[in-house]
């Protein structure tokens, strides 16, 4: 009898899988019951449905948002992927509001976001490639330039571009990288280090009045490529002026013209463009080149700010070169993350 009483108590008060399943079923039944037969589920949540529709519209026609007022279009495009965070918020609110209309409406921004960025969620990295390149805005106020240089060299890159070099820090970078890279050139505040010979090195005029861009021919075992290094002007978000980027846009156009005139078919652009691939202000460059991250990366590859990356403004773009893999490197003493890529050259050119 005692054993029977014990078994009955265990069956009634236990917390095994069967009891947990029963709780879940009761919760779902309660949720469904709360919706079933309620004619107001279609009338409630109209404001939420309107917000979902507006969110979908912003993402769908982002290129039509004008830049005339505070460069609002470019600002939206810079952080466009983050608009997807509003989708689960609207979904939860629709469930709490018990609105079938809102639930259906939330599908619209979800579909648009997946259409825009779903491809970046898959891992497209490959294992081939002939050349590894890397770029890093090292930050003029970097407290440990030698350590930053060693970290970038440890990536195994054959060609490294550095931006925001100060005259006082250049000797430190040159000394730290000398053992890995036999060839290098510094033009203004940008520099290029290479394991392979450099020729045709010259500054590129991006309409600033001082040098923040350069090009060089790198002669690799697989052939010659033109490598550009650029640090486009910074953009600012100001309360009275919005997203100010006029000088950045002007420099992007000049850089695009220089690349378009490049006689070598295989081109790699490394640098801090202070803009994302979605930003229409960089069309002069991005329209003629591919992003290694978009073509052969895994995820968004955000590079700035290093403490909590929210945008990929450090870019590796290619023309006539096939991206094989693309990734971000660990944090250094800079406020940017280094980015790297492995590419396959066309040996027939």
């Amino acid at each position: 009898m005692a054993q029977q009483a014990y078994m009955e108590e265990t069956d009634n008060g236990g917390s095994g899988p069967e009891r947990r399943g029963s709780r879940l079923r009761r919760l779902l039944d309660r949720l469904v019951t709360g919706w079933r037969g309620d004619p107001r589920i279609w009338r409630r949540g109209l404001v939420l449905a309107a917000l979902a529709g507006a969110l979908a519209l912003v993402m769908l026609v982002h290129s039509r948002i004008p830049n005339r007022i505070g460069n609002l279009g470019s600002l939206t495009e810079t952080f466009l992927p983050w608009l997807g965070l509003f989708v689960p918020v609207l979904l939860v609110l629709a469930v709490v509001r018990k609105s079938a209309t809102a639930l259906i409406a939330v599908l619209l921004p979800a579909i648009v976001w997946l259409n825009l960025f779903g491809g970046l969620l898959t891992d497209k990295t490959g294992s081939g490639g002939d050349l590894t390149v890397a770029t890093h805005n090292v930050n003029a106020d970097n407290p440990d330039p030698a350590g930053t240089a060693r970290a970038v060299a440890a990536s195994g890159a054959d060609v490294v571009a550095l931006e925001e070099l100060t005259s006082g820090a250049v000797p430190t970078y040159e000394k730290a990288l000398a053992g890995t890279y036999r060839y290098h050139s510094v033009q203004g505040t940008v520099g290029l280090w290479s394991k392979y010979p450099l020729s045709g090195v010259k500054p590129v005029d991006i309409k600033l009045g001082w040098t923040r861009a350069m090009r060089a021919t790198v002669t690799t075992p697989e052939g010659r490529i033109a490598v550009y290094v650029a640090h486009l002007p910074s953009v600012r978000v100001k309360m009275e002026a919005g997203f100010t980027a006029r000088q950045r846009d002007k420099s992007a156009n000049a850089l695009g013209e220089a690349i378009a005139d490049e006689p070598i078919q295989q081109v790699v652009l490394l640098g801090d463009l202070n803009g994302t691939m979605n930003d229409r202000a960089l069309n002069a460059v991005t329209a003629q080149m591919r992003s290694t991250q978009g073509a052969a990366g895994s995820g968004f590859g955000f590079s700035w700010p290093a403490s909590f990356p929210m945008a990929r403004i450090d870019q590796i773009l290619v023309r006539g070169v096939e991206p094989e893999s693309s990734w971000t490197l660990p944090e250094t003493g800079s406020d940017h993350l280094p980015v790297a890529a492995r590419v396959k050259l066309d040996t027939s050119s």
Side-chain angles (χ1 to χ4, degrees), residues 15-29:
S15 57
E18 184 175 350
R19 182 170 178 80
R20 286 195 296 271
S22 300
R23 288 178 178 172
L24 179 60
R25 282 194 297 273
R26 286 198 299 272
L27 180 62
L28 292 175
D29 289 343

Side-chain angles (χ1 to χ4, degrees), residues 103-123:
L103 278 176
I104 295 173
V106 170
L107 290 175
L108 294 176
I111 292 171
V112 173
W113 190 92
L114 287 173
N115 181 62
L116 289 173
F117 303 110
L120 293 175
L121 301 180
T122 60
D123 188 351

Side-chain angles (χ1 to χ4, degrees), residues 120-188:
L120 293 175
L121 301 180
T122 60
D123 188 351
K124 301 177 290 296
T125 57
S127 57
D130 309 306
L131 186 75
T132 301
V133 296
T135 181
H136 189 23
N137 179 326
V138 296
N139 187 1
D141 297 322
N142 193 319
D144 184 19
T148 295
R150 288 192 296 269
V152 175
S155 68
D158 301 300
V159 176
V160 170
L162 300 182
E163 303 87 48
E164 209 165 296
L165 295 169
T166 63
S167 57
V170 166
T172 302
Y173 286 106
E174 289 176 330
K175 181 179 179 181
L177 295 171
T180 305
Y181 302 98
R182 182 177 178 183
Y183 309 94
H184 87 279
S185 175
V186 175
Q187 303 287 323

Side-chain angles (χ1 to χ4, degrees), residues 188-189 204-213 231 233 247:
T189 61
V204 175
D205 182 12
I206 56 173
K207 311 303 181 184
L208 283 175
W210 69 96
T211 302
R212 284 180 38 152
H231 182 195
Q247 187 59 64

